[in-house]
Amino acid sequence: MSLAPDATVVLLAVPLAASALLAVLPSYRLSAALNVAAAFAAFLAAASLFVAAPRPNAYIVIDDLNVVFIVLNTFVGFTASVFSATYIAHEIDTGRLGATHLRFYHAMYQFLLFAMNLALIANNIGLMWVAIELATLTTVLMVGIYRTQAAIEAAWKYFILGSVGIALALFGTILIYMAAQPVVGEGVPAMLWTTLIEHAPQFDETLLDLAFVFLLLGYGTKVGLAPLHAWLPDAHAEGPTPISAVLSGLLLNVALYAVLRFKLLLDGNARALAPGPLMVTLGLVSTVFAAFMLYRRRDVKRMFAYSSIEHMGIIVFAFGVGGPLANFAGLLHMAMHSLTKSAIFYAVGQIAQVKGTQQIAEIRGLTVSHPLLGWSLVFGVFAIVGLPPMGVFMSEFLIVSSAFERAPWLALTLAAGVLLALGALVLRMQGMAFGAPVGPTAPAKASALPMLSHFALVLIAGVWLPPPLVAWFQHVAQLLR
């Protein structure tokens, strides 16, 4: 009997049930253990989808494209839950969070995983929109969990800008339904991916073009593309560090997945607008803009938030260029960025706890006072800027190479943005990692295992990729056109 239908139930039911239970559990140890166990169960269920996938129905679809996102989503969700178990313990010990906050945090964490999983496996474009909206509202609440003035302001900013983005995405979704209705009829069939992609060549190209503009702007807000990015640095700076890792490593990918799904609809209609140039433009603007903004950051979490904007720009640029090589590189870069950036936030979260600050100027000499954190920060920066032999280097090299074949000037602009970002991050890293130590020297208490496991995977991927993974990515790259 196939395990895949049960796997989709686990992906949704386990985090949802865990969320309800964690809302009432008073014990920190028990709730932390349950949070980790539920996240691990979801990861195992996602991994089983590589072996057997259920047939699509009116609610759920599992295909080669979303399995990549689901497995990555659940893996980082699991490691972030392990990191949370010890990170949140320190926040409780220092009085930043209380018992009520603890129950709220764990319940919302599992509900966020449920919403993201639902968005990735939903066959109905309306259901996907609802799931992404639920994920947005959940993260808004978690960003403001510390109840400081800055945290509440960041949460409100995220809520307002996120609401604008999701409203634009809703309008685009309605336009897609209007384009499909004359062809496939009214009701649910006109909202199913499996039906839409089959009949895409028959849709009204004008409605498809207009819909994609709204969808790219709407979901692009969630991706963090400039100039729609303003919520992202504040949310990272003021929210709990595990949520920063989830935002950069997961939620941005979920919104990107939605964009790619709708891109497939336009690609399937020969008369429709080519989505590539729009994606290339937004991706390039985001990359170059974020690279310049990195030089002016004073908060370490805010700095790495702009790094996420830069890398999401690179990924969107790759998918905009299109073709087997660029799409393969975009998928690889998405995976490498998720693993690397979440690991960096694991390190930064511990650094902020032991130093009592997120200000770059007040963090010095980490390799002397906290060798593991200091050298992990050095490794993380080298990895995220794309120095060899890291996995990000391989993906960025492939993206620039594929772009040179089609548009050399665009490739040069992208390479310039990548080099600018490299200079900014290495410059900031030197001061924090080396020199005479400044500030407290108490040891870090959060677990380093999630961070080290991510860094190990990124290093291995830069040297060797398993042939089955390469074949899978190549197949998905062909699907994306």
Side-chain angles (χ1 to χ4, degrees), residues 200-451:
Q202 302 169 256
F203 293 165
D204 185 317
E205 66 275 13
T206 304
L207 284 175
L208 283 181
D209 294 346
L210 185 60
F212 187 77
V213 171
F214 280 100
L215 290 163
L216 182 59
L217 292 175
Y219 287 123
T221 303
K222 308 293 184 187
V223 176
L225 298 175
L228 313 166
H229 69 284
W231 63 271
L232 197 148
D234 291 334
H236 279 69
E238 302 304 331
T241 297
I243 302 308
S244 298
V246 170
L247 278 172
S248 275
L250 302 182
L251 191 57
L252 304 186
N253 290 347
V254 173
L256 173 67
Y257 165 80
V259 172
L260 293 180
R261 280 292 195 190
F262 288 108
K263 177 181 180 290
L264 285 174
L265 287 183
L266 268 73
D267 287 337
N269 188 305
R271 305 180 309 277
L273 173 76
L278 290 175
M279 296 177 68
V280 165
T281 301
L282 278 180
L284 204 57
V285 168
S286 300
T287 301
V288 176
F289 169 80
F292 278 109
M293 293 298 290
L294 284 170
Y295 286 90
R296 300 180 58 83
R297 298 310 98 197
R298 300 293 179 264
D299 181 294
V300 63
K301 288 177 69 177
R302 196 178 295 269
M303 178 180 72
F304 284 113
Y306 274 98
S307 172
S308 293
I309 295 170
E310 176 219 352
H311 283 278
M312 294 311 294
I314 294 172
I315 296 166
V316 170
F317 176 90
F319 288 124
V321 170
L325 181 58
N327 288 332
F328 176 91
L331 289 168
L332 180 62
H333 196 78
M334 179 194 70
M336 293 301 101
H337 172 255
S338 293
L339 293 173
T340 307
K341 187 58 61 63
S342 54
I344 288 174
F345 275 114
Y346 297 156
V348 167
Q350 296 184 73
I351 291 168
Q353 283 187 336
V354 298
K355 293 297 184 181
T357 181
Q358 294 177 188
Q359 295 301 308
I360 295 173
E362 299 175 23
I363 301 172
R364 289 290 182 268
L366 284 170
T367 53
V368 177
S369 62
H370 300 83
L372 178 60
L373 290 181
W375 288 111
S376 294
L377 180 65
V378 172
F379 184 94
V381 169
F382 284 174
I384 203 65
V385 300
L387 293 181
M390 311 302 180
V392 176
F393 167 77
M394 180 186 295
S395 59
E396 287 185 345
F397 178 81
L398 292 175
I399 292 170
V400 174
S401 299
S402 62
F404 259 112
E405 294 181 5
R406 302 189 180 189
W409 288 108
L410 293 179
L412 288 173
T413 305
L414 180 72
V418 170
L419 291 175
L420 280 170
L422 183 153
L425 289 174
V426 171
L427 176 66
R428 297 300 185 194
M429 176 271 293
Q430 289 181 18
M432 290 189 290
F434 304 111
V438 174
T441 58
K445 296 183 179 180
S447 173
L449 185 59
M451 173 185 69

Side-chain angles (χ1 to χ4, degrees), residues 23-34:
V24 297
L25 280 181
S27 168
Y28 166 73
R29 290 184 180 276
L30 183 58
S31 58
L34 177 58

